[in-house]
Amino acid sequence: LGKSKDTEQELDTNEIVDIFNAEVEMLSDRDEAKIVEHFRSKIALEEDKYDEGEINYIEVIKNVLDYRKWFQFKLYFKRTGGERRELTDKEFSKFSGGEKAIAMYIPLFAGINAKFNAARSDAPRIIALDEAFAGVDDANIEDSFRILEELDLDYILTSQALWCDYKEIKEISICELIKARDASSVAIRRYRWNGLVR
């Protein structure tokens, strides 16, 4: 959802996105004037914080141009047999550690998928996960890999615990890094998982 306007001079988020997505040749003088007026209005609001010494001028410009602040996101969840509810802080605090991790991973994967879907068809669809699925139980890990497979996302991940030998993973290359306590080098032991056997 686009965030609501703070002043009358600001544009609706959808209108800004439409203008930015249009071909440059198609933009009218009126569109350009709207964009200028929009950002002047946003800068004026931020300059109040600047005048009060809360932020410096670089932060003013950064805050105005940070497109992530143009949107607001609402997440919903549904337990088996339950009703669909908004994922508020209060509801999130009731989740187990694994549920909290999954509640963050799934929207992340969905957002990445949406971004990749807007790219060229030959663009790589690869993500990197550090300490992937830490604190998540095996059933939810397997479900997460199922989602990655359904979204057709390739991945590179690091983990101290995962072998990635889940039935949802059709094939994966695994590198185990081995370092003896007194050694000055790291050895690599390689494995492959083919969906059935490591």
Side-chain angles (χ1 to χ4, degrees):
L1 299 171
K3 284 193 174 174
S4 56
K5 301 192 288 186
D6 291 320
T7 69
E8 281 301 313
Q9 291 75 29
E10 287 182 34
L11 295 174
D12 175 89
T13 301
N14 291 333
E15 193 173 358
I16 298 172
V17 172
D18 287 344
I19 291 173
F20 282 154
N21 282 337
E23 296 292 330
V24 175
E25 300 80 26
M26 300 299 291
L27 291 179
S28 66
D29 290 343
R30 187 166 178 266
D31 289 332
E32 289 182 24
K34 281 183 182 178
I35 290 289
V36 168
E37 192 172 4
H38 170 83
F39 283 108
R40 276 190 180 145
S41 172
K42 297 293 281 181
I43 289 170
L45 284 174
E46 289 293 323
E47 280 181 331
D48 290 341
K49 297 177 194 171
Y50 173 74
D51 291 340
E52 292 165 16
E54 293 177 36
I55 57 176
N56 63 39
Y57 204 74
I58 291 172
E59 289 171 305
V60 168
I61 301 303
K62 185 173 133 190
N63 290 343
V64 168
L65 298 179
D66 187 350
Y67 67 89
R68 294 170 301 179
K69 295 181 179 180
W70 301 355
F71 302 93
Q72 59 183 345
F73 299 90
K74 287 188 179 182
L75 300 178
Y76 295 86
F77 73 100
K78 181 179 178 183
R79 293 188 186 276
T80 305
E83 293 182 12
R84 179 178 181 257
R85 297 200 313 245
E86 186 178 347
L87 184 57
T88 60
D89 287 343
K90 183 178 177 182
E91 293 291 345
F92 186 76
S93 68
K94 297 176 189 174
F95 286 4
S96 69
E99 288 173 326
K100 285 178 179 175
I102 291 301
M104 292 187 294
Y105 277 118
I106 292 174
L108 175 67
F109 295 158
I112 290 168
N113 182 56
K115 190 70 176 167
F116 285 161
N117 285 346
R120 287 181 7 190
S121 60
D122 61 345
R125 296 174 59 83
I126 189 165
I127 62 172
L129 300 169
D130 186 27
E131 290 299 328
F133 308 119
V136 180
D137 62 83
D138 265 0
N140 280 320
I141 290 173
E142 185 141 14
D143 208 35
S144 297
F145 280 117
R146 178 186 58 76
I147 292 166
L148 287 171
E149 290 289 329
E150 285 177 6
L151 296 175
D152 191 30
L153 295 174
D154 292 319
Y155 42 87
I156 297 171
L157 56 89
T158 66
S159 173
Q160 293 184 359
L162 287 183
W163 280 101
C164 295
D165 48 0
Y166 295 95
K167 69 179 188 297
E168 297 293 346
I169 300 174
K170 304 299 179 253
E171 185 179 17
I172 195 166
S173 175
I174 305 162
C175 296
E176 181 186 15
L177 302 182
I178 303 162
K179 182 181 183 298
R181 184 170 292 173
D182 299 331
S184 59
S185 60
V186 176
I188 302 174
R189 185 176 290 152
R190 298 179 186 277
Y191 303 86
R192 288 194 79 80
W193 167 251
N194 64 6
L196 297 170
V197 178
R198 188 176 74 216

